[in-house]
Amino acid sequence: MNGKNALTPNSCAFRRTQSLRCPKGQASVLLRKGSRNARSKSSRSKTDSGSALSRLTFQQRLALGTSWKAMRGQTNVIMRKILNDLESASPKVKQIFYKAALVDCFQKEGTENRATLDEHIKLLIKFFDDLIANVENEAEVLAMVKKVGQDHAILNQSCGFNAEIWEQLGEIAMEKICSLDIVQKTREAGRAWRTVIACVTDELRCGFDFEARVFSRKSSSAEQLAPSANEEEMLNRLHLLRMEYNSTVPL
């Protein structure tokens, strides 16, 4: 599409402001509602040079990597808490994981089911491993994050998974991670994690929204092209009538 309003993964209108610092008085405690207020939504201007990741200082990147390494012994517990809280906040997510667990029970041994809660914990850890290891490669990181959002778009049609769930995930992740002593130990670590989580939430939602619209358009086109049940029944009846006519009327 050549029009100015053409939709591409990079033209997502939903963007947060680049001011990601917590309001005064909330430095030590991040409330879930407060995290959204601290990350107000706004459109990215054309003069905005890349994402918030590109504006992480050297000290913030260093603090990000150091704090992530320090979490190594408890990353599994942290990610499980994040996903458990997401289940509580979103019944749809809980239902998806429940169905995945049921399917997993009947799968053959050795068959991988990446939709389960336990697998998502592993995937989240690997996700942050890759992100933090490549945080200086902004384009690569953003493409990776968008891809995750796009891969979940199919759930929009089948399970009612919506963009608001990414918001909830971002808020919960920010609350859980930024409240850790390891992160609160230095100001730069807290700023870095808030920046990264806000940026990740943006890109997940952007990739998801774009791909969900593509799926929606494809579904609408398929429905228009496919005959309805009534039309199909009518065609079958006409076919039968024609066969009866041919068998009774001599040629």
Side-chain angles (χ1 to χ4, degrees), residues 24-56:
K24 291 182 179 180
Q26 293 186 10
S28 59
V29 179
L30 282 167
L31 299 177
R32 189 167 300 167
K33 290 183 180 178
S35 63
R36 174 171 294 189
N37 293 334
R39 300 180 290 118
S40 64
K41 303 171 185 177
S42 64
S43 296
R44 178 187 289 179
S45 65
K46 292 183 179 179
T47 57
D48 187 8
S49 58
S51 74
L53 293 181
S54 63
R55 285 181 294 283
L56 284 173

Side-chain angles (χ1 to χ4, degrees), residues 56 60-61 63-64 187-197:
L56 284 173
Q60 287 170 349
R61 289 175 182 173
L64 187 70
R187 181 184 298 177
E188 296 306 313
R191 287 177 177 174
W193 276 105
R194 286 194 294 273
T195 299
V196 166
I197 294 171

Side-chain angles (χ1 to χ4, degrees), residues 179-231:
S179 63
L180 295 170
D181 291 339
I182 298 166
V183 175
Q184 290 189 0
K185 191 176 292 184
T186 64
R187 181 184 298 177
E188 296 306 313
R191 287 177 177 174
W193 276 105
R194 286 194 294 273
T195 299
V196 166
I197 294 171
C199 181
V200 164
T201 305
D202 268 345
E203 300 304 326
L204 286 171
R205 178 166 183 158
C206 188
F208 174 86
D209 279 342
F210 173 79
E211 199 68 17
R213 285 193 289 269
V214 172
F215 273 118
S216 180
R217 286 197 295 270
K218 286 180 179 178
S219 298
S220 298
S221 299
E223 287 175 4
Q224 290 174 3
L225 292 173
S228 65
N230 291 334
E231 289 174 340

Side-chain angles (χ1 to χ4, degrees), residues 100-195:
L102 283 178
V103 171
D104 194 53
C105 292
F106 295 99
Q107 281 191 322
K108 294 180 180 179
E109 189 175 348
T111 305
E112 186 181 32
N113 182 2
R114 304 184 78 183
T116 63
L117 178 66
D118 287 338
E119 282 300 315
H120 269 69
I121 290 169
K122 296 175 187 176
L123 290 170
L124 258 180
I125 294 171
K126 186 179 186 308
F127 175 83
F128 280 110
D129 274 339
D130 294 342
L131 189 154
I132 293 170
N134 297 285
V135 71
E136 294 184 9
N137 302 320
E138 182 186 7
E140 182 180 336
V141 168
L142 296 184
M144 177 192 76
V145 178
K146 272 198 183 79
K147 179 69 165 53
V148 173
Q150 290 170 340
D151 288 344
H152 285 75
I154 193 171
L155 298 176
N156 179 249
Q157 297 284 330
S158 60
C159 305
F161 190 102
N162 56 59
E164 185 64 21
I165 292 172
W166 294 121
E167 283 294 311
Q168 293 171 320
L169 176 62
E171 290 171 2
I172 294 167
M174 189 172 290
E175 177 189 349
K176 295 297 180 187
I177 293 175
C178 293
S179 63
L180 295 170
D181 291 339
I182 298 166
V183 175
Q184 290 189 0
K185 191 176 292 184
T186 64
R187 181 184 298 177
E188 296 306 313
R191 287 177 177 174
W193 276 105
R194 286 194 294 273
T195 299

